[in-house]
Amino acid sequence: MTAIEQAQARPRGTRLPRRARREQLLGAAQEVFVAQGYHSAAMDDIAERAGVSKPVLYQHFPGKLELYLALLDQHCESLLQSVRTALASTTDNKKRVEATMDAYFAYVEDEGGAFRLVFESDLTNEPAVRERVDKVSLQCAEAISEVIAEDTGLSRDQSMLLAVGLGGVSQVVARYWLASRSGVPRDTAVGLLTSLAWRGIAGFPLHGAEGQVQGHH
Amino acid sequence: MTAIEQAQARPRGTRLPRRARREQLLGAAQEVFVAQGYHSAAMDDIAERAGVSKPVLYQHFPGKLELYLALLDQHCESLLQSVRTALASTTDNKKRVEATMDAYFAYVEDEGGAFRLVFESDLTNEPAVRERVDKVSLQCAEAISEVIAEDTGLSRDQSMLLAVGLGGVSQVVARYWLASRSGVPRDTAVGLLTSLAWRGIAGFPLHGAEGQVQGHH
DNA sequence: CAAGCCGTGGAGGTCAAGATCGGCGTGCAG
DNA sequence: CTGCACGCCGATCTTGACCTCCACGGCTTG
């Protein structure tokens, strides 16, 4: 149920306990921010969407930025959890790749488009936002790079580069897949990317010994 | 030479031919937009940076948006050209991958940070901007996917997914590489990604028949 | 040499959007 | 029943940024 439906179900005069009201406001804000982006989203829009007046918003959040940050934190945490869970779900590295790819696809597909707040924010010039987005990207990449470093024996810097790359592919392709709505089902897309990535990774030193490969660096 | 140096070299009263003035304004605008983003950039800032007054800006551009779009178009075109040139630079598909990766790195490294206008715009909610960014991404991906489709025999949809992925890796990693300033030199980073991507691609159908996983060409 | 013209400059209008103040209705305690 | 407290609303203020109006000075032409 969207926030606006909730708001219409409970017409404009209803009084809510403080905690519930806050959650409802967060929901409405997310819908508006996702649909319009930070700058185009007016506090009036959010208030109207939630079926309350503007002062109520300011009784729950100090300002527009803090409201946005609350949502951003929430969804950054969510992404990080998904990735970590995926990495920990198995010890088979190929399945790890697949699970991680799928985590990105699931993240992009679900949550009412909240991934836009993280991956397509129009407030990256605000240091507080930039910091959060950079941090979650870095943390995801570090989690991935640990596995890569262990599996390939590459240096810390180099495995980070690859990890950033793998996260990047997942994120970019997942968004493209969602937007393009081409006929490719999610499983197929994930499988395709997993093949691509796994063969790529599997060619590095530790495996190169067993499987022979052309020169690298 | 930055626009502000030009402006200081020619102190504030100088008259310029129309074409030259326009170019100088574009330069100043690019510096400000890159440094501050669209929203934080004030027309006053741009005018001051260029060493002129605001009305002059409006004699060359109808408004802030059009000024931004002029720059955006310019750099979208530049990226597309780089990618197409890289793809056409050889018929060896592995070198194609490397050249294309390198094109993204060069694009991100050079041009006074102009890649931010394309990859990190804070105006993606403006339809005109969204359209341009989407279009250039799509055109790059299509150019890449043609090669992939021909080389692997994958369907149009599937090769587009991979192409988007390759473009995405290049772009994301290049930006990370630029920002992180880790010790990895550009050649090494490009080489690493090329290994990753090429082994990944080379495993698809057409090659799987001849060389099980890796080597050929 | 002189007069006019055109581009430049600083100051101001307008408007959207974030942030806030005095009333109102509802429910509970005495 | 009645007063009080709490949360909510309509209306307003203010800031900041985009976008134009009246004076000035250098170049050109007769």
Side-chain angles (χ1 to χ4, degrees):
Chain A
M1 176 189 293
T2 67
I4 193 142
E5 283 164 353
Q6 284 183 344
Q8 283 166 350
R10 292 184 177 272
R12 197 174 169 111
T14 314
R15 290 165 79 121
L16 251 58
R18 199 174 164 76
R19 186 61 52 91
R21 179 65 83 193
R22 185 189 152 94
E23 289 309 309
Q24 187 223 359
L25 292 180
L26 280 172
Q30 174 170 329
E31 289 172 29
V32 176
F33 280 138
V34 164
Q36 310 198 320
Y38 180 85
H39 293 292
S40 298
M43 290 298 263
D44 305 77
D45 298 340
I46 297 173
E48 189 186 4
R49 183 78 145 191
V52 297
S53 75
K54 242 189 312 180
V56 192
L57 263 182
Y58 286 93
Q59 285 161 4
H60 286 263
F61 302 94
K64 190 183 182 184
L65 178 61
E66 288 76 14
L67 177 54
Y68 188 79
L69 288 180
L71 287 168
L72 189 61
D73 282 334
Q74 181 179 319
H75 293 294
C76 281
E77 189 57 33
S78 160
L79 172 62
L80 190 55
Q81 278 308 319
S82 293
V83 169
R84 286 192 170 143
T85 303
L87 286 172
S89 69
T90 174
T91 59
D92 178 337
N93 280 331
K94 180 172 184 188
K95 294 201 169 168
R96 272 199 175 122
V97 172
E98 184 164 19
T100 308
M101 294 278 179
D102 195 66
Y104 275 92
F105 272 72
Y107 184 72
V108 165
E109 193 176 25
D110 288 343
E111 311 218 24
F115 75 94
R116 290 178 181 276
L117 303 185
V118 182
F119 295 140
E120 298 177 6
S121 175
D122 58 344
L123 197 64
T124 51
N125 298 106
E126 171 63 39
V129 173
R130 172 81 76 167
E131 186 226 333
R132 267 127 173 128
V133 172
D134 283 354
K135 186 176 175 185
V136 72
S137 303
L138 212 70
Q139 286 175 322
C140 288
E142 273 168 357
I144 298 173
S145 85
E146 279 180 25
V147 179
I148 293 182
E150 190 179 342
D151 192 44
T152 65
L154 287 175
S155 78
R156 186 150 204 81
D157 281 347
Q158 297 193 344
S159 51
M160 269 299 280
L161 271 183
L162 293 184
V164 168
L166 291 186
V169 190
S170 314
Q171 173 237 345
V172 170
V173 176
R175 280 162 49 204
Y176 167 77
W177 168 80
L178 185 71
S180 80
R181 288 252 150 268
S182 66
V184 184
R186 174 170 147 189
D187 296 355
T188 308
V190 171
L192 214 56
L193 282 186
T194 302
S195 302
L196 182 82
W198 176 244
R199 274 196 299 267
I201 290 289
F204 281 103
L206 253 48
H207 304 276
E210 351 167 343
Q212 172 267 340
V213 124
Q214 63 272 33
H216 33 253
H217 52 175
Chain B
M1 177 188 292
T2 68
I4 192 144
E5 284 165 353
Q6 285 184 342
Q8 283 165 350
R10 292 185 178 270
R12 193 157 173 121
T14 313
R15 289 166 84 112
L16 251 57
R18 192 171 171 82
R19 187 60 53 92
R21 177 67 81 192
R22 185 188 152 96
E23 289 308 310
Q24 186 222 0
L25 292 179
L26 281 172
Q30 175 171 328
E31 288 173 29
V32 175
F33 281 138
V34 164
Q36 312 199 331
Y38 181 84
H39 294 308
S40 299
M43 291 297 264
D44 306 77
D45 297 341
I46 297 173
E48 189 186 5
R49 183 79 147 191
V52 296
S53 76
K54 249 186 306 179
V56 203
L57 261 182
Y58 287 94
Q59 284 162 5
H60 286 264
F61 302 95
K64 189 183 182 182
L65 178 61
E66 287 77 13
L67 176 53
Y68 188 80
L69 288 179
L71 286 167
L72 190 62
D73 281 334
Q74 179 178 319
H75 294 293
C76 282
E77 188 58 33
S78 160
L79 173 63
L80 190 56
Q81 278 308 318
S82 293
V83 169
R84 286 191 169 144
T85 303
L87 285 172
S89 67
T90 174
T91 60
D92 178 337
N93 279 331
K94 180 174 184 188
K95 294 201 171 168
R96 272 199 175 122
V97 173
E98 184 165 18
T100 308
M101 293 278 179
D102 196 64
Y104 275 92
F105 272 72
Y107 184 72
V108 166
E109 193 176 23
D110 288 342
E111 311 217 26
F115 74 95
R116 290 180 181 277
L117 302 185
V118 182
F119 295 140
E120 298 178 6
S121 175
D122 58 345
L123 196 63
T124 50
N125 299 105
E126 172 61 41
V129 172
R130 172 80 75 169
E131 186 225 332
R132 264 124 174 133
V133 172
D134 284 354
K135 185 176 175 186
V136 72
S137 302
L138 210 70
Q139 286 175 321
C140 287
E142 272 168 357
I144 298 174
S145 84
E146 279 180 26
V147 178
I148 293 182
E150 189 179 343
D151 193 44
T152 66
L154 287 174
S155 79
R156 184 148 205 84
D157 282 346
Q158 297 193 345
S159 50
M160 268 301 278
L161 271 183
L162 294 184
V164 168
L166 292 186
V169 193
S170 314
Q171 174 236 348
V172 171
V173 176
R175 280 163 51 204
Y176 167 77
W177 168 81
L178 186 71
S180 79
R181 290 250 151 269
S182 66
V184 184
R186 174 170 147 190
D187 295 356
T188 308
V190 171
L192 214 55
L193 282 185
T194 303
S195 300
L196 182 80
W198 175 244
R199 275 196 299 264
I201 290 288
F204 281 104
L206 252 48
H207 305 277
E210 24 172 313
Q212 97 238 25
V213 168
Q214 51 275 72
H216 68 240
H217 289 269

